[in-house]
Amino acid sequence: MRRIALLLLAVLVAGCTETTAVNQDTMDKDIQSAVEVVDDFWRQTFPEAFGEPYESPRVAGGYTGVDGPQCAGERSVPFNAYYCPTGDYIAWDEDLMAAGYSQIGDAWVYLIIAHEWAHAIQARLDTDQVSVAAELQADCLAGASLQGAAETGRIAIEPGDAQELAQTLAAVADEYPWTRVSDHGNIQERTSAFSLGVNRGVEACIS
Ligand SMILES: [Zn+2]
């Protein structure tokens, strides 16, 4: 799985002849904004949708390479983003964020945060509510949360965002020691799972 994700990113980066420098401040603001709007969406939506109080996961934030927080004794993986169930936190490699942010756009960071947050939501659900296709369900919940944030005016959908989101779904797949290669689904499956959440909301993502 790591090889696939890295390969896709390498292709993506190599395909661009000019290196675009990332404005670190702007990216950090987008990451902060993504964390806030996704957390707010779930704070408003979760209790009604699932009949349970909502508690935010921790945000361990950015790391570099193998210097991220260990999850169940496993070191962080370079160019990855993940939700750690045992620690109930979300973390991401700063280089992963920067690569997509410069090559694809700001939708990249929103989708990665929303997808990892969706894994934290799955961890709060009953096991029979979590799809066997857990990664596609996370894409669906990510779509629902970003659409919800857009509908309340917390984020603005800009021209090109749909394209950026599709490129992001094609390029990244989070990785765990227990992830199987088939877990994330192909680009069509991921895009349609994301669209299902966008068009029909959280309930449609829960089987
Ligand atoms: Zn995932």
Side-chain angles (χ1 to χ4, degrees):
M1 183 51 91
R2 174 164 71 189
R3 286 216 184 86
I4 290 170
L6 282 175
L7 187 65
L8 283 163
L9 272 169
V11 168
L12 207 73
V13 173
C16 189
T17 47
E18 279 177 52
T19 310
T20 317
V22 171
N23 183 322
Q24 188 73 37
D25 283 351
T26 311
M27 185 177 81
D28 287 348
K29 276 186 194 132
D30 275 320
I31 290 173
Q32 188 54 39
S33 162
V35 164
E36 284 171 17
V37 300
V38 172
D39 191 32
D40 284 353
F41 171 83
W42 285 114
R43 182 169 298 107
Q44 283 156 21
T45 308
F46 191 92
E48 199 182 323
F50 301 112
E52 304 269 354
Y54 170 72
E55 233 176 274
S56 306
R58 269 189 320 117
V59 177
Y63 65 86
T64 308
V66 295
D67 294 337
Q70 290 199 352
C71 181
E74 299 279 345
R75 301 181 82 174
S76 63
V77 174
F79 258 57
N80 191 29
Y82 58 99
Y83 166 70
C84 176
T86 52
D88 192 32
Y89 65 79
I90 285 155
W92 55 83
D93 190 327
E94 288 285 346
D95 292 334
L96 172 74
M97 288 300 202
Y101 194 82
S102 62
Q103 303 294 333
I104 291 180
D106 58 353
W108 172 275
V109 304
Y110 281 89
L111 180 52
I112 289 176
I113 301 282
H115 176 98
E116 298 310 328
W117 215 280
H119 285 312
I121 297 302
Q122 288 172 322
R124 286 154 172 71
L125 299 180
D126 296 335
T127 43
D128 65 352
Q129 293 175 308
V130 179
S131 167
V132 260
E135 291 301 335
L136 292 176
Q137 186 178 43
D139 287 332
C140 184
L141 293 170
S145 59
L146 293 180
Q147 177 64 22
E151 282 171 7
T152 55
R154 294 294 307 274
I155 53 174
I157 305 289
E158 299 157 348
D161 277 352
Q163 177 70 10
E164 290 181 19
L165 289 165
Q167 286 177 301
T168 304
L169 288 168
V172 283
D174 50 6
E175 182 189 351
Y176 307 96
W178 54 88
T179 313
R180 294 183 306 272
V181 174
S182 58
D183 282 353
H184 268 279
N186 63 34
I187 177 61
Q188 285 83 9
E189 291 170 318
R190 297 199 68 186
T191 307
S192 67
F194 184 85
S195 301
L196 178 67
V198 167
N199 295 323
R200 295 185 41 215
V202 170
E203 280 77 9
C205 305
I206 307 299
S207 43

